[in-house]
């Protein structure tokens, strides 16, 4: 099971960079072969205007419930590669403090090849034991890390083929290996690139400096003004649709253990920031954010160059909470950013990604089945937790297919997804493979088909 995962991890399926298009295709084909090997039928690498989607299914009977498993085989770029202790696409198992039984180090180990592959291996195990309690359909996509732009159309086009009772996704995490949890909320996302243009060419900062507007200075001032002294986002209308949670809901959330000291230590910071009236876990899940992801312009090479740049650029992400609408927020951001720009410069804003926030129920048969399955394998009832990350397609499953999702992830926040030295615990990988079949068992029982 490890060797076969390693095979997938060796394929650099970076969806963002066209240089890897061939590898993305190769990875889709490798996922398809694994599905076939596991016993799935009608396995297909389906073409989209972007990267392919892998489909496969295992149909038992029309009387048992159908579970649609979603995952992604694409990965984030490995950059900055010099910060990896081992090459990003040469998987290796090493022990860490948090993973004393070893962790698989590679880009995609946790997000999402390792977690997605647990489902293929779980199917294989169930087929081998002759006990598959539900019909299972798989869609494994190759564009999650670039916003799943072609998946909505795919869902529309193949509504019937994808008909199911619930969606099951392992692309989130648990609190700790001795503290299981189930993700019950994801934030949405509005991601924009902004460009400020000042003078029509780069200028000598001595000859022109003082009177010529410097777009980098101006961009920094504009970005700084996007939060006030209380860390509230100043974009006009930004909080209009934000739902305040009840005290009871906030209390339930606070059941999830959180140590501020351990948090600070784990990422090497002297203190947290954000809205004081919310706890750090709340700021990271039920509150929206605005973050600069990158800023550049002017001279950034060796040594010094005296220059007033003509152009400055930045990438900005806003994480959204129910019921914020990413299109509305993007429009509000554009209007606000244009309004605060001084007349000395011009502004261009390009929307990049959008994703809707999602919350999943805790009182559904599917959630209960997932909870029971984890209780069996961890010996503890999992705690429902809202996460700060985004999976764009979860809202689409509900909107287009009318399906709720169970976010059945087994990763840890410390697994360094999207970062150098991404890893996934061997414990977590096998725990997932052990737990998933129990989900099917309890879910089938809940539907009266035990
Ligand atoms: N699997 C992550 C999202 C995630 C991780 C959610 C852990 C909850 C817990 C997913 O692959 C991801 O990185 N999503 C992007 C979305 C974007 C590229 C549109 C994100 O959240 O930045
Ligand atoms: Mn993911
Ligand atoms: Mn990701």
């Amino acid at each position: 099971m490890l060797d076969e995962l390693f095979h997938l991890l060796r394929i650099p399926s970076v969806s963002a960079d066209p240089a890897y298009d061939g590898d993305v295709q190769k990875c889709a084909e490798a996922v398809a072969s694994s599905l076939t090997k596991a016993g799935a039928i009608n396995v297909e690498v389906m073409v989209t205007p972007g990267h392919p989607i892998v489909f496969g299914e295992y149909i038992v009977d029309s009387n048992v419930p159908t579970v649609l498993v979603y995952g992604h085989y694409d990965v984030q770029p490995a950059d900055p590669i010099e910060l990896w202790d081992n090459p990003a696409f040469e998987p290796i198992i090493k022990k860490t403090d948090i993973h004393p039984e070893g962790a698989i180090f590679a880009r995609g180990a946790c997000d999402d090849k390792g977690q997605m592959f647990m489902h293929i291996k779980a199917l294989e195990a169930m087929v081998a034991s002759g006990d598959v309690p539900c019909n299972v359909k798989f869609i494994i996509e190759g564009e999650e890390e670039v916003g799943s732009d072609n998946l909505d159309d795919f869902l529309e086009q193949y509504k019937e083929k994808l008909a199911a009772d619930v969606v099951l996704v392992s692309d989130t995490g648990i609190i700790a290996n001795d503290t299981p949890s189930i993700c019950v909320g994801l934030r949405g996302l509005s991601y924009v690139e902004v460009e400020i243009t000042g003078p029509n060419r780069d200028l000598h900062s001595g000859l022109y400096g003082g009177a010529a507007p410097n777009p980098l200075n101006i961009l920094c001032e504009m970005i700084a003004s996007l939060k006030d002294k209380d860390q509230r986002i100043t974009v006009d209308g930004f909080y209009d649709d934000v739902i305040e949670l009840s005290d009871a809901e906030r209390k339930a959330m606070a059941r999830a253990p959180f140590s501020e000291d351990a948090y600070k230590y784990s990422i090497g910071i002297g203190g947290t920031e954000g809205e004081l009236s919310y706890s750090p876990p709340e700021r990271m899940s039920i509150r929206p954010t605005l973050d600069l992801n990158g800023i550049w312009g002017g001279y950034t090479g060796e040594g010094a160059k005296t220059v007033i740049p003509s152009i400055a650029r930045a990438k900005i992400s806003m994480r959204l909470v129910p019921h914020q609408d990413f299109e509305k927020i993007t429009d509000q951001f554009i209007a606000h950013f244009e309004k605060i720009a001084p007349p000395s410069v011009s502004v261009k804003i390009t929307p990049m990604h959008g994703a809707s926030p999602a919350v999943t129920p805790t009182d559904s048969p599917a959630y209960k089945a997932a909870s029971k399955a984890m209780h069996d394998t961890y010996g503890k009832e999992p705690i429902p937790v809202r996460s700060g990350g985004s999976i764009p397609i979860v809202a689409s499953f509900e909107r287009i297919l009318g399906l709720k999702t169970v976010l059945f992830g087994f990763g840890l926040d410390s697994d360094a997804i999207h970062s150098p030295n991404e890893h996934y615990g061997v414990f977590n990988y096998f725990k997932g493979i052990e737990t998933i079949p129990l989900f099917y068992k309890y879910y089938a029982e809940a539907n009266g088909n035990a």
Side-chain angles (χ1 to χ4, degrees):
M1 287 184 181
L2 286 167
D3 285 349
E4 287 173 45
L5 173 59
F6 277 29
H7 175 68
L8 286 187
L9 293 171
R10 287 192 189 101
I11 308 172
S13 50
V14 178
S15 50
D17 185 347
Y20 294 93
D21 280 0
D23 292 301
V24 174
Q25 177 73 30
K26 222 173 103 184
C27 195
E29 284 158 18
V31 170
S33 329
S34 312
L35 273 170
T36 305
K37 178 171 177 268
I41 56 158
N42 298 328
V43 175
E44 254 181 280
V45 175
M46 298 176 73
V47 176
T48 76
H51 298 306
I53 294 172
V54 185
F55 177 85
E57 61 190 351
Y58 190 91
I59 304 299
V60 187
D61 192 305
S62 59
N63 295 317
V64 299
T66 303
V67 177
L68 179 62
V69 174
Y70 162 84
H72 63 95
Y73 66 82
D74 66 319
V75 299
Q76 288 275 330
D79 324 43
I81 52 167
E82 65 279 8
L83 295 183
W84 285 76
D85 296 331
N86 292 91
F89 298 104
E90 294 174 24
I92 178 171
I93 293 181
K94 290 192 293 185
K95 291 185 169 47
T96 71
D97 289 349
I98 292 179
H99 296 291
E101 62 302 291
I104 307 153
F105 283 77
R107 169 57 84 232
C110 175
D111 185 13
D112 181 41
K113 286 175 180 169
Q115 296 215 62
M116 171 275 287
F117 204 59
M118 298 181 315
H119 286 271
I120 298 183
K121 291 289 112 177
L123 175 72
E124 189 171 314
M126 291 188 297
V127 172
S129 70
D131 183 14
V132 187
C134 299
N135 302 314
V136 191
K137 297 180 179 178
F138 286 84
I139 42 169
I140 314 294
E141 73 151 321
E143 296 189 304
E144 197 278 342
E145 299 292 8
V146 289
S148 301
D149 288 345
N150 294 296
L151 201 49
D152 277 16
D153 285 349
F154 183 88
L155 298 186
E156 294 278 5
Q157 196 180 343
Y158 295 105
K159 264 186 195 167
E160 243 156 75
K161 191 181 176 85
L162 303 176
D165 296 290
V166 74
V167 181
L168 186 63
V169 179
S170 294
D171 195 23
T172 55
I174 52 172
I175 295 170
N177 280 355
D178 61 0
T179 315
S181 58
I182 296 179
C183 178
V184 291
L186 294 163
R187 286 193 284 195
L189 182 66
S190 163
Y191 196 113
V192 295
E193 183 171 322
V194 299
E195 183 182 292
I196 301 289
T197 306
N200 58 7
R201 59 188 164 88
D202 286 7
L203 301 173
H204 189 291
S205 67
L207 297 181
Y208 288 90
N214 182 325
L216 264 177
N217 289 31
I218 289 168
L219 179 59
C220 289
E221 283 169 34
M222 289 169 69
I223 289 170
S225 80
L226 295 175
K227 284 189 194 176
D228 68 15
K229 62 172 189 354
D230 298 322
Q231 301 270 342
R232 267 179 79 86
I233 295 153
T234 58
V235 173
D236 298 324
F238 189 81
Y239 291 95
D240 284 358
D241 301 323
V242 173
I243 304 274
E244 291 289 338
L245 265 63
S246 69
D247 287 348
E249 284 173 303
R250 290 178 69 180
K251 236 181 158 161
M253 274 189 66
R255 270 177 53 212
F258 177 79
S259 152
E260 184 149 346
D261 284 338
Y263 177 78
K264 289 196 291 197
Y265 178 77
S266 72
I267 54 171
I269 53 167
T272 59
E273 62 158 48
E275 299 168 290
L276 290 178
S277 46
Y278 296 90
S279 68
E282 288 177 334
R283 293 175 216 161
M284 290 185 283
S285 60
I286 58 164
R287 297 296 293 167
T289 65
L290 185 149
D291 276 295
L292 192 51
N293 292 241
I295 181 163
W296 70 105
Y299 184 68
T300 56
E302 285 294 315
K305 180 187 181 196
T306 50
V307 63
I308 293 178
S310 166
I311 295 179
R313 295 188 176 90
K315 292 184 194 281
I316 297 171
S317 65
M318 289 161 277
R319 296 281 170 173
L320 310 177
V321 298
H323 294 206
Q324 285 178 300
D325 176 88
F326 72 84
E327 280 167 347
K328 185 169 163 191
I329 292 288
T330 304
D331 289 345
Q332 285 169 334
F333 178 89
I334 292 172
H336 181 87
F337 214 65
E338 284 173 349
K339 188 189 82 182
I340 63 173
S344 54
V345 296
S346 62
V347 182
K348 192 177 129 197
I349 302 163
T350 313
M352 311 277 288
H353 284 316
S356 302
V359 279
T360 60
T362 51
D363 56 359
S364 64
Y367 180 89
K368 288 179 188 157
S371 178
K372 267 176 102 172
M374 273 194 163
H375 190 281
D376 279 7
T377 55
Y378 287 87
K380 283 180 195 173
E381 186 184 334
I383 303 170
V385 173
R386 286 211 206 174
S387 169
S390 309
I391 304 177
I393 199 61
V394 171
S396 307
F397 285 132
E398 170 124 42
R399 184 172 50 81
I400 301 170
L401 300 180
L403 297 180
K404 300 277 186 207
T405 296
V406 175
L407 294 162
F408 210 28
F410 293 82
L412 299 181
D413 282 356
S414 57
D415 286 344
I417 64 171
H418 295 203
S419 302
N421 301 317
E422 174 178 354
H423 55 279
Y424 189 43
V426 172
F427 169 89
N428 304 67
Y429 179 58
F430 286 111
K431 194 58 109 179
I433 297 171
E434 182 191 348
T435 309
I436 289 163
L438 293 167
F439 168 82
Y440 291 112
K441 172 175 171 241
Y442 291 128
Y443 187 56
E445 281 176 15
N447 279 264
N449 294 292

